Amino acid sequence: MSIFTKEQQTNLIRALYEIRLKEPRLSIQEMARSMGTARNTVYRHLNSALENGILFNPQLRLKMFHDVKEYVYAVSSNSAHETFQTLKDRTSVCYELFATGYIDLLMISDTPLSQRDMKELGDIRIEGSRSDFVYPVVPAVDYPTALHQIRRYIQRDFCPSRWRVEYPPRNVIWKDLDYELFSLLRYDMTTKYTVLARSARMSFDGFRWSLDRILANTQVVVPYYPEGYSHYMRFLLMFKSQYEEMLMELFSLVPCCTTLYKVADWILVHFKILPLDLTGQFFNILYSLQDSGYIDCIKTAVPILHWRPG
């Protein structure tokens, strides 16, 4: 068995991440061939990365269209934990986050809530249909280097800019099989056809055609946390700014998986950072942008629990 240095291991896992972004359903044998590496080496390092929360299997997220939308409600409430638990019984709920800070609960639903339902949730601080999620490609640098690059980036002069959210019509309509297959692949795109066929009756050609239709209506995300997911502090950041593209570019420099989306005139960022002094340094950068007039409003919440169906 070959002995790898830590740098070699890091580079190999980085290569697996990049392959998964391009070809999420490649087999281990195919990945090994494309990397010019032994299959057992790829198998061993991929399993280690999955077990340690460095890399997660490729997943699917729905794109938003004129007739397919998800609705976000960010709530302040003294009974948020109780609400967090009861909302799990609603079939319309796609995601929940229980937190502390500016908001106590964030809920995403595939149908809009009534005025009565919103009132029962608590004080709605952010609400509206979401944009597509944005997942910047994780840069191949460590966090101290990334902070140095971010400091250099914010020395520029920025022009006002908007993140334009549009909901186009769907060009590819799903069939019943597509909905069933999407639910099976949603959190692990690497599931083999033979396993999928036990739950959804289909030929191999039917599977390929269905997958093509699914990919036309979804985004592929490969969560990647080079230091291991459990080592990061997690924040939900909420911004108002007249320089929205600047914010998107800034968070593309963060060296682990980051999720951005827009709701009404807010940009929400699910953000992770290594603890201790790096956290203070990053927030100093954000508040310096507010002092300079590039950010109008910064709100934060610290996630405690999250839930999603299935």
Side-chain angles (χ1 to χ4, degrees), residues 151 153-160 240-243 246 250 283-298:
R151 288 192 191 94
Y153 173 74
I154 66 169
Q155 298 307 310
R156 305 180 189 179
D157 291 325
F158 299 101
C159 296
K240 284 187 177 182
S241 173
Q242 302 299 311
Y243 299 82
M246 177 272 294
L250 184 153
F283 276 91
N284 280 337
I285 290 170
L286 292 182
Y287 283 104
S288 73
L289 289 169
Q290 186 177 43
D291 293 341
S292 301
Y294 288 120
I295 297 176
D296 299 325
C297 176
I298 305 173

Side-chain angles (χ1 to χ4, degrees), residues 13 48 67 101 141 195 279:
I13 294 171
S48 176
D67 61 336
V141 297
V195 175
T279 307

Side-chain angles (χ1 to χ4, degrees), residues 119-132:
K119 187 175 181 180
E120 290 177 351
L121 281 181
D123 178 16
I124 306 288
R125 295 192 163 173
I126 300 172
E127 63 106 352
S129 57
R130 71 165 176 87
S131 68
D132 283 344

Side-chain angles (χ1 to χ4, degrees), residues 91-151:
T91 57
S92 61
V93 175
C94 310
Y95 176 80
E96 284 190 89
L97 179 71
F98 174 62
T100 182
Y102 178 65
I103 65 165
D104 304 299
L105 178 70
L106 181 137
M107 186 264 278
I108 302 179
S109 171
D110 62 14
T111 56
L113 298 183
S114 66
Q115 290 296 321
R116 178 180 177 180
D117 285 340
M118 284 194 286
K119 187 175 181 180
E120 290 177 351
L121 281 181
D123 178 16
I124 306 288
R125 295 192 163 173
I126 300 172
E127 63 106 352
S129 57
R130 71 165 176 87
S131 68
D132 283 344
F133 293 124
V134 171
Y135 302 98
V137 175
V138 176
V141 297
D142 60 17
Y143 234 118
T145 301
L147 283 178
H148 176 69
Q149 293 175 346
I150 290 170
R151 288 192 191 94

Side-chain angles (χ1 to χ4, degrees), residues 25 27 39 185 188-197 207:
R25 285 187 54 80
S27 68
R39 180 191 182 280
L185 292 172
D188 184 1
M189 286 190 68
T190 67
T191 305
K192 295 180 179 179
Y193 163 74
T194 52
V195 175
L196 296 168
F207 163 71

